[in-house]
Amino acid sequence: MLLVAEPVLGEEEKAALHSVIDSGWITMGNGVSAFERAFAKMHMADDAVAVSSCTAGLHLALEALGIGAGDEVLVPSLTFVATANSVIYCGAVPVFVDIVSTHQPLLSLVDAAAKCTPRTKAVVIMHYAGYLADRDAWCAFARARGLKLIEDSAHAVGTGRAGLSGDATVFSFFGNKNMTTAEGGMVLARDPAVIERMKRLRSHGMTASTLDRLNGHALTYDVTALGYNYRMDDLRAAIGLVQLRQIDDWNARRETLTDVYRQAIARLCPTIEIPFESHQVSAHHILSILLPEAADRRHVMVRMREGGIQTTVHYPPVHLLSYYIDRSPRVYLPITEAFARRELTLPLHPRMIEHHIELVVSTLANILGELGSPLVPQAAKLAAVL
Ligand SMILES: *Cc1c(COP(=O)(O)O)cnc(C)c1O
């Protein structure tokens, strides 16, 4: 089965894990600090906070930036549910904002402006599929309204190194992301005081760590805030350090594969739309396409699976999930809903070869051809020749 996403793990990761195990220290220690320093350096930041997940990082960032009960936070609905959940963890209210268009499925500045109220305190942008949102425009938007700007950069590891534009940026190292630590995340923040607050909150609000006490740097500890256990550990950090060295090569490979997809789809499946322009800056996290209006996506997904190809949907819109419909009146986001109805995610990861893409696209062309879409029979014939 050709999977939508697959981690690249090998001998170097195994060796790194072995040496952590042999060191006798497996929880948060010098390995986590080394990973934080390397990640910060790559992003031209002074420091970073490694956490147990991107979800934990989003929660910490919002809380450390002062978001709390009764505040409203502008969020996309075309995202993973964690983006909005983390706002609710803070006691704040997520306010869903539509996307620009089905061709630019990134948060709309116009709709965000329309949804601001006196209670709006922050905006979370998400770099869908790895394509960077216009961060200068969002900074100006946030500054003009006195809002905190948080980037959910779960799709965008390895892009936009030119420092921080917003108040905090949160990355994910989950197993299907561009680099992985199995579970894990990282937070960058502009204000060193926010970094310090997050470091304390990720470990129960304690003033000293277990390692500090072991090393004799501290004899006891105080707790100064209600914190959490959101720590990363040295095992995961060791994997992360190895992965970090390869992220540029992997992202370059993703870009090449995306270009091959664009050409093959234009040739074989002209009724399919591909969001974004090929020259836009991206980490190419997923290969997202829009099926023709008339196509039955469920049927396409079943038939692709029969052909040995996994496909998924990014995303069921958060505002239409049962929990969100139950907790607040149904909001209407016409462009997000139109996009999500037609979206299909095809396999994309650095272990794929060009031949896989021909296979995926010709299989798709055949399935769409059976459905009798007007432009497709010709594409199906071409696919048969391949
Ligand atoms: C994966 C993902 C998350 C959650 O990341 P975890 O590390 O699994 O908590 C949040 N937002 C987006 C957009 C994601 O893709």
Side-chain angles (χ1 to χ4, degrees), residues 52-58 78-83 126-127 152-155 171-177 182-185 285 314-315:
S52 53
S53 69
C54 173
T55 308
L58 286 165
L78 187 71
T79 185
F80 184 56
V81 66
T83 317
M126 199 279 269
H127 307 296
D152 179 339
S153 292
H155 292 193
F171 299 89
S172 173
F173 307 133
F174 186 64
N176 63 6
K177 299 302 189 329
E183 298 277 1
H285 172 55
H314 285 82
Y315 290 94

Side-chain angles (χ1 to χ4, degrees), residues 9 14-15 40 47 76 107 151 159 211 215 262 292 301 334 371:
L9 294 160
K14 287 183 201 168
D47 204 357
L107 207 64
E151 293 176 56
T159 54
L211 189 65
N215 292 340
R262 283 183 182 274
M301 293 179 79
L371 299 175

